Amino acid sequence: KQEVTQIPAALSVPEGENLVLNCSFTDSAIYNLQWFRQDPGKGLTSLLLIQSSQREQTSGRLNASLDKSSGRSTLYIAASQPGDSATYLCAPRGSARQLTFGSGTQLTVLP
Amino acid sequence: DGGITQSPKYLFRKEGQNVTLSCEQNLNHDAMYWYRQDPGQGLRLIYYSQIVNDFQKGDIAEGYSVSREKKESFPLTVTSAQKNPTAFYLCASSARGSGRALEIRGDTQYFGPGTRLTVL
């Protein structure tokens, strides 16, 4: 059964810093991996989807990498802003074709 | 304006009652999903449906039931058999639930705003 771990659980940084969020998963047989953002009490917003054949995917200040063989993905946020404060969730899609979610990294960007 | 809607936003239930959470999408998506989120935890899959009139159990289906009579609607009933129903419930949809196209293209899941259920 797929298990997903996100480290750190919480992170606080000053505005303008570049930062990296980590995601590891135990079953490398995945089709793709999604990164989501969740604001308090809200639904999830998809940020990036990276396919198993890809190494990187970029959208604006966000860059996601995927190393399927080692079961790792990172989300890089450049020049962080207070509006980036949220919980970030990663979710690989495995052989059962369903998403398995990590518990998330709660990011606070201080002005 | 396309998207996924969930209602109500907040729901209170007395012990022993069944309640139904609504999920509607106008994205013309084939697949729909229900997840449960507890504080400080990731989402866990309750049920999913890849096509109308078909659905499968997820990881934590006990105490829940669903129907998929229309493509755009996937209501979730929380029954009295669910021992700890207080949670945040999220509905999602994706263009396709399975098939070779999914493996090649990947398929983004889009989420609704959620329903917070509290048992009194």
Side-chain angles (χ1 to χ4, degrees), chain A residues 34 38 51 93 97-98 102, chain B residues 33 37 42 103-105:
Chain A
Q34 272 187 266
Q38 185 176 30
Q51 297 187 39
R93 188 163 192 160
R97 295 182 173 153
Q98 305 311 317
Chain B
Y33 311 82
Q37 186 177 33
E103 297 172 22
I104 294 172
R105 179 169 51 88

Side-chain angles (χ1 to χ4, degrees), chain A residues 1 31-32 34 36 38 41-46 49 51-53 89 93 96-104, chain B residues 33 35 37 40-43 45 48 50 88 90 97-99 102-109 111-113 116:
Chain A
K1 182 182 175 182
Y31 289 122
N32 58 55
Q34 272 187 266
F36 294 90
Q38 185 176 30
K42 306 288 187 182
L44 277 64
T45 300
S46 180
L49 183 149
Q51 297 187 39
S52 60
S53 58
L89 299 157
R93 188 163 192 160
R97 295 182 173 153
Q98 305 311 317
L99 296 178
T100 301
F101 284 84
S103 55
Chain B
Y33 311 82
Y35 294 91
Q37 186 177 33
Q41 298 188 28
L43 281 66
L45 182 65
Y48 64 100
Q50 296 178 340
F88 189 47
L90 288 156
S98 63
L102 170 65
E103 297 172 22
I104 294 172
R105 179 169 51 88
D107 207 19
T108 299
Q109 286 194 15
F111 281 76
R116 188 166 299 279

Side-chain angles (χ1 to χ4, degrees), chain B residues 4-75:
Chain B
I4 303 175
T5 58
Q6 291 186 241
S7 62
K9 185 173 181 180
Y10 298 98
L11 186 58
F12 298 90
R13 191 194 92 169
K14 293 181 181 179
E15 289 202 21
Q17 279 185 336
N18 292 352
V19 291
T20 297
L21 284 59
S22 169
C23 177
E24 304 276 332
Q25 53 98 0
N26 61 4
L27 300 168
N28 199 32
H29 283 173
D30 287 325
M32 297 186 74
Y33 311 82
W34 273 107
Y35 294 91
R36 168 183 172 139
Q37 186 177 33
D38 293 282
Q41 298 188 28
L43 281 66
R44 292 182 290 169
L45 182 65
I46 305 172
Y47 268 98
Y48 64 100
S49 168
Q50 296 178 340
I51 197 168
V52 175
N53 293 322
D54 183 58
F55 49 83
Q56 289 83 39
K57 293 181 179 180
D59 296 326
I60 55 166
E62 185 175 352
Y64 300 98
S65 66
V66 293
S67 63
R68 187 84 188 277
E69 297 176 0
K70 298 186 295 183
K71 187 175 185 178
E72 59 270 23
S73 179
F74 191 40

Side-chain angles (χ1 to χ4, degrees), chain A residues 27-77:
Chain A
D27 185 352
S28 61
I30 64 169
Y31 289 122
N32 58 55
L33 185 145
Q34 272 187 266
W35 280 93
F36 294 90
R37 168 189 173 133
Q38 185 176 30
D39 292 289
K42 306 288 187 182
L44 277 64
T45 300
S46 180
L47 298 173
L48 291 163
L49 183 149
I50 183 165
Q51 297 187 39
S52 60
S53 58
Q54 295 178 313
R55 299 283 291 183
E56 284 189 7
Q57 189 71 255
T58 298
S59 176
R61 294 182 293 107
L62 305 179
N63 176 278
S65 69
L66 176 64
D67 184 343
K68 200 175 89 161
S69 61
S70 68
R72 294 181 183 180
S73 177
T74 62
L75 180 67
Y76 175 83
I77 303 177

